[in-house]
Amino acid sequence: IFKIDCEYCEWYSFRDWYDVDIRQVMVETHSLPNRTELILDFFYGFQQHNFYLFHKEPNIHPNAKGDGIEWAYIRLHPDFHPNVTTKTKA
């Protein structure tokens, strides 16, 4: 299980998580970046690497300022959803 809450760095470090041998990712996102393609890459990238969302919830802690959302993904075997284009190691 990989858990990260890095106060906005998630939008720039997520690509590094895909090739690590982890089965679950729990990440809290903060304030959407102004680049739409970065947001799409973040969410579609999980599915393209066989991670599927199984839980999400807003962070309602008073210090969260209302912009934190916690996401939990689990990595499944590529055969689980064969219609998704996935990267394979050569």
Side-chain angles (χ1 to χ4, degrees):
I1 297 175
F2 175 67
K3 168 76 169 108
I4 187 165
D5 180 358
C6 60
E7 307 302 322
Y8 203 74
C9 82
E10 65 276 2
W11 297 112
Y12 300 96
S13 63
F14 66 91
R15 291 178 188 92
D16 297 333
W17 313 338
Y18 298 143
D19 294 326
V20 179
D21 186 21
I22 50 179
R23 301 292 184 249
Q24 290 185 29
V25 173
M26 300 169 70
V27 58
E28 183 172 350
T29 56
H30 305 85
S31 302
L32 293 175
N34 338 359
R35 295 178 38 219
T36 303
E37 70 277 359
L38 183 62
I39 299 167
L40 294 175
D41 286 350
F42 181 87
F43 289 106
Y44 287 132
F46 278 104
Q47 188 174 10
Q48 290 170 343
H49 289 85
N50 302 308
F51 282 98
Y52 293 89
L53 183 68
F54 71 88
H55 181 77
K56 75 172 184 169
E57 67 180 77
N59 182 342
I60 59 171
H61 190 277
N63 294 339
K65 302 174 190 168
D67 70 351
I69 300 176
E70 298 179 3
W71 309 84
Y73 290 88
I74 187 166
R75 179 177 272 168
L76 300 174
H77 190 276
D79 290 343
F80 177 78
H81 198 297
N83 296 325
V84 174
T85 303
T86 59
K87 292 184 178 181
T88 56
K89 292 183 180 180

